[in-house]
Amino acid sequence: MDETQCWITECQDAGDGTGDVIVTLPPDFIAQMGLKIGDELNLEVVDGVIVLTQKSTPS
């Protein structure tokens, strides 16, 4: 992806004591990425920003 885009969302505590958070992805992000239930994402932090990319599916 050559063009960088930004979405802002909130993280919610999972409430199970693990320190995990739940991130609700905005509908426009889901649509633009072409995501569907069961898709997996890569998550990395670059310069303090969380970057999500769709994992490649095996051929």
Side-chain angles (χ1 to χ4, degrees):
M1 178 189 255
D2 294 330
E3 186 178 326
T4 300
Q5 296 193 352
C6 178
W7 285 267
I8 297 174
T9 189
E10 292 184 15
C11 297
Q12 299 175 332
D13 186 337
D16 58 3
T18 63
D20 290 347
V21 295
I22 298 169
V23 178
T24 302
L25 300 176
D28 55 337
F29 172 83
I30 294 169
Q32 185 162 349
M33 292 289 291
L35 298 174
K36 58 190 178 307
I37 293 174
D39 286 349
E40 295 184 14
L41 301 174
N42 292 313
L43 181 146
E44 64 181 312
V45 178
V46 179
D47 296 328
V49 176
I50 296 173
V51 178
L52 297 174
T53 54
Q54 191 169 6
K55 281 189 177 181
S56 299
T57 55
S59 303

